[in-house]
Amino acid sequence: MFPFQLMGQQTITDHDIDVKLIVSEKTLEVSQLIQFTNTSSIVLKELYLNDWSHAYSSSKSPLAQRFAEEFDRSFYLGAKTKRGSTNQLNIIVDDNKIEWNRLKDQIDIVEIKLVSELKPGEQTTIELDYKIVLPNARYTGYGKISDTDYYLKNCFIHIAPLINNQWIKNSNLDLEEISTLPANFSIEWDIPADLFVNSNLTKW
């Protein structure tokens, strides 16, 4: 579930998200603007993003490993087209196109190398464009349930928590806990009219 603003929180990250559902491709096309403030006492040279939708993309992800430990082979044996992923990710920070990478053993964590260091108290603007291929809901209950039913949870990219000057880089393990700090989310949906009337789209 997306966290809501806490009373007394002074520097909450803002996420403005435009989402278009492409039914024929079972995808979400996302344009996202993040306003992030360095609330730590250290200079930041990189940022980390949680991209939990990409946890479904590989049988070697931390999420897949957890399924294997529970002797659930449905994900491992499932078709790649039904697993889901994040594709075509483009990142711009303060008008600079940024090179990024996924952590070696955590493919659902994205590392951004900043062009300019972010000092304590300074704010930066992050623009993201990406496409989410929705996973088949058979694995965790989230994603595409049928052609007209979707259940979405923790699918959008967001800033990883920065606590006590340390980045908390937790992968998606489907444990009903989201690794993030309170933030403001504004989401505008573009959904086909016939689907919106006749479907059960639960939005998180």
Side-chain angles (χ1 to χ4, degrees):
M1 180 183 298
F2 292 132
F4 296 95
Q5 181 170 347
L6 296 181
M7 297 298 294
Q9 186 79 22
Q10 298 299 314
T11 51
I12 288 183
T13 301
D14 291 321
H15 296 256
D16 292 313
I17 306 174
D18 291 322
V19 188
K20 183 176 182 179
L21 173 63
I22 310 297
V23 176
S24 60
E25 300 177 3
K26 66 167 187 177
T27 62
L28 301 176
E29 292 185 351
V30 182
S31 294
Q32 183 171 351
L33 185 68
I34 302 175
Q35 298 288 348
F36 171 76
T37 301
N38 180 7
T39 58
S40 74
S41 60
I42 60 174
V43 175
L44 300 179
K45 299 180 181 180
E46 61 274 322
L47 303 177
Y48 292 91
L49 307 176
N50 289 340
D51 180 15
W52 281 12
S53 289
H54 203 64
Y56 298 92
S57 66
S58 171
S59 60
K60 297 180 180 180
S61 70
L63 178 64
Q65 293 173 14
R66 175 178 168 264
F67 288 153
E69 290 171 358
E70 296 182 350
F71 303 101
D72 182 350
R73 295 177 56 82
S74 61
F75 183 85
Y76 181 81
L77 298 175
K80 290 184 179 181
T81 56
K82 295 184 178 181
R83 288 181 184 163
S85 60
T86 300
N87 300 324
Q88 302 175 26
L89 175 59
N90 290 301
I91 302 177
I92 296 175
V93 179
D94 292 332
D95 298 324
N96 296 303
K97 188 170 182 179
I98 297 295
E99 297 296 327
W100 55 271
N101 63 276
R102 298 185 181 278
L103 298 188
K104 181 179 179 181
D105 297 320
Q106 293 179 279
I107 61 173
D108 55 350
I109 305 295
V110 174
E111 180 184 49
I112 300 173
K113 297 291 186 180
L114 296 176
V115 174
S116 301
E117 296 178 343
L118 192 65
K119 298 177 181 178
E122 290 186 338
Q123 186 179 82
T124 189
T125 300
I126 306 166
E127 300 174 62
L128 307 174
D129 288 295
Y130 54 100
K131 180 180 289 187
I132 299 173
V133 179
L134 296 172
N136 190 304
R138 64 177 293 191
Y139 301 122
T140 64
Y142 310 126
K144 180 181 178 181
I145 298 173
S146 69
D147 288 339
T148 58
D149 295 298
Y150 301 83
Y151 185 27
L152 310 180
K153 185 173 182 179
N154 301 335
C155 60
F156 300 115
I157 293 175
H158 55 274
I159 297 284
L162 179 60
I163 301 175
N164 295 328
N165 297 335
Q166 296 289 328
W167 288 102
I168 309 302
K169 293 169 281 187
N170 292 336
S171 287
N172 179 7
L173 298 178
D174 188 38
L175 297 176
E176 302 297 334
E177 296 180 359
I178 187 168
S179 176
T180 187
L181 293 175
N184 291 326
F185 283 83
S186 174
I187 306 176
E188 185 166 329
W189 294 85
D190 183 350
I191 302 171
D194 57 338
L195 180 67
F196 188 78
V197 171
N198 299 312
S199 71
N200 177 23
L201 177 65
T202 303
K203 304 188 288 284
W204 292 76

